[in-house]
Amino acid sequence: MDNSRCDYDLLQAIARKLKQLREAKGLSQRIVYIDTDFNIGKIEVGKTNITISTLSRLCNYYGTSLKEFFNELNQ
């Protein structure tokens, strides 16, 4: 990742929230990978600077919207 363009605090907050959503649904990382083709393991530890479209697809998969995701992220 390009360190000058990366907000690590934000990546960590997104990573934690995605992990919470996955665990709330009772899903393993493997199942999410099979269903979405995303390596959620790297995303959940904040090692991957994901795109908005990837985040949107994951939110849809978990049954939430981007708006709800970011509203809950700020609480």
Side-chain angles (χ1 to χ4, degrees):
M1 277 187 272
D2 181 355
N3 292 336
S4 66
R5 298 172 130 193
C6 189
D7 183 337
Y8 288 106
D9 292 334
L10 178 59
L11 277 181
Q12 291 299 314
I14 289 170
R16 282 190 303 274
K17 183 61 185 168
L18 286 170
K19 184 175 182 179
Q20 289 172 354
L21 289 171
R22 178 182 57 78
E23 289 177 341
K25 297 285 184 182
L27 300 169
S28 69
Q29 290 180 350
R30 178 173 161 73
I31 293 298
V32 174
Y33 177 74
I34 290 168
D35 290 347
T36 65
D37 203 32
F38 294 131
N39 184 340
I40 195 73
K42 286 184 179 181
I43 294 170
E44 287 183 356
V45 294
K47 298 263 185 204
T48 301
N49 193 358
I50 65 172
T51 65
I52 291 294
S53 59
T54 298
L55 182 58
S56 178
R57 286 185 54 203
L58 285 169
C59 285
N60 288 335
Y61 177 76
Y62 293 134
T64 192
S65 68
L66 281 172
K67 182 178 179 179
E68 291 170 319
F69 181 89
F70 282 109
N71 281 341
E72 293 172 5
L73 194 66
N74 290 323
Q75 294 178 357

